[in-house]
Amino acid sequence: MTETQTTPPMPFDDELLTRLRQSQHLVVFTGAGVSRESGIPTFRDALTGLWSQYEPEDLAMPDAFVRDPSLVWGWYEWRRALVARCEPNPAHLTIAALANRVPKLTLITQNVDGLHARAGSPDVLELHGSLERPRCFDCGTHCPPDAPMATDDQQRIEPPTCVQCGGFIRPGVVWFGEALPVDVWHRAKRAAQACDLMLSVGTSGLVYPAASLPKEAVFQQIPVVQINPEPTALDETMWHNLHGEAGVVLPSLLKSAWPDF
Ligand code: OAD
């Protein structure tokens, strides 16, 4: 029987481990990279297969939905079906477990895949909405999601219609050019200004206003630790850059901070 390969804990800075252990209010800010090890491509990953001819920016727009509602709805249904086949990975699970180690943890995500909640994280601040909360494009009535219909060989799916006004149902995500949910944004910004440590995990730091949150923490002289296998636009301002995959670094970091973790 082959030995189970365990990843040895990475050598972490002692001050980092102390700050993590002593944190009274920790913010974890995540992007698409935290779901990469669950099998969900990030935005900077090339879209594969049927969708490779499109850029997310071409489809994640109100105008795109007005122009071709079935194409946009089909793309989101394809993503929803993909997410339904995926499971939270050790990064999501570790973040969920971390909430039991610090007095207060605010989890802010740019992701719409719902994997943090499926991993057990409570009260996730979903800055960009959720695939699981479709609503009417015209009157805003929420429409409970059906089981994902898309298969890999489908592109256009006609959206369902609103029971209230007959308008097309749209994905419950924030599109380019749209405002973030006001209450969620204000809670996220206040947490970024008031915490004593921030972990920025799996984000390229390119899309605003979400990407301003780590910078807001730095402005408040709050240490920010970035976890990403690649350098990002945020590297220069980070207290620590932990170069590695979230599903490897986070469990190792917490094991180093709390050996009984
Ligand atoms: P991106 O695709 O821009 O960046 C994903 C980041 O994850 C990159 O920096 C990768 O290096 C990193 N990454 C890849 N694999 C990783 C792993 N295993 N562990 C940790 N990091 C990994 O996605 P976001 O930064 O989330 O906006 O993009 C932000 C927003 O851009 C999205 O929310 C979306 C998109 O347009 C809207 O939908 C409004």
Side-chain angles (χ1 to χ4, degrees):
M1 185 176 81
T2 55
E3 280 291 301
T4 308
Q5 296 300 317
T6 53
T7 310
M10 301 164 74
F12 297 104
D13 175 84
D14 285 341
E15 189 186 350
L16 164 54
L17 297 177
T18 302
R19 277 188 178 271
L20 185 54
R21 275 194 294 270
Q22 295 177 354
S23 174
Q24 295 303 301
H25 181 186
L26 173 68
V27 163
V28 180
F29 172 61
T30 67
V34 82
S35 296
R36 188 71 193 79
E37 291 151 89
S38 294
I40 298 175
T42 69
F43 284 86
R44 272 69 201 171
D45 286 336
L47 284 186
T48 54
L50 283 169
W51 302 104
S52 56
Q53 59 191 296
Y54 300 101
E55 289 298 322
E57 288 76 4
D58 299 335
L59 299 174
M61 299 273 290
D63 297 351
F65 186 77
V66 171
R67 197 168 47 247
D68 192 342
S70 296
L71 177 68
V72 174
W73 183 257
W75 183 53
Y76 278 93
E77 282 299 280
W78 168 74
R79 287 176 64 194
R80 207 157 69 87
L82 171 65
V83 168
R85 296 195 298 268
C86 295
E87 293 298 326
N89 70 62
H92 298 106
L93 297 170
T94 302
I95 293 168
L98 189 49
N100 303 318
R101 291 282 171 158
V102 296
K104 183 175 181 180
L105 186 151
T106 303
L107 175 52
I108 305 166
T109 190
Q110 301 170 85
N111 302 338
V112 298
D113 57 35
L115 287 181
H116 282 303
R118 283 174 56 192
S121 287
D123 192 23
V124 183
L125 298 184
E126 294 174 312
L127 294 178
H128 293 161
S130 169
L131 290 171
E132 291 310 307
R133 288 199 296 278
R135 65 176 189 273
C136 176
F137 185 82
D138 296 327
C139 73
T141 300
H142 279 263
C143 159
D146 299 328
M149 289 169 47
T151 57
D152 283 344
D153 61 0
Q154 209 161 359
Q155 264 199 346
R156 281 176 169 73
I157 302 177
E158 177 154 314
T161 51
C162 174
V163 294
Q164 297 297 330
C165 75
F168 276 137
I169 298 299
R170 58 161 285 178
V173 301
V174 175
W175 279 334
F176 288 99
E178 293 186 322
L180 274 57
V182 175
D183 174 52
V184 174
W185 172 248
H186 285 163
R187 287 177 61 195
K189 189 161 185 188
R190 278 200 303 274
Q193 294 168 333
C195 64
D196 50 45
L197 181 64
M198 178 185 284
L199 305 181
S200 177
V201 188
T203 183
S204 59
L206 293 174
V207 175
Y208 285 80
S212 68
L213 292 174
K215 293 186 173 178
E216 181 63 37
V218 170
F219 179 72
Q220 301 291 339
Q221 297 180 344
I222 296 164
V224 183
V225 178
Q226 182 172 234
I227 298 172
N228 194 318
E230 305 294 333
T232 75
L234 300 171
D235 272 39
E236 296 303 310
T237 59
M238 298 293 95
W239 179 42
H240 283 287
N241 287 298
L242 304 179
H243 288 134
E245 296 186 327
V248 173
V249 173
L250 274 170
S252 183
L253 175 64
L254 270 67
K255 189 79 179 160
S256 299
W258 291 282
D260 65 329
F261 197 86

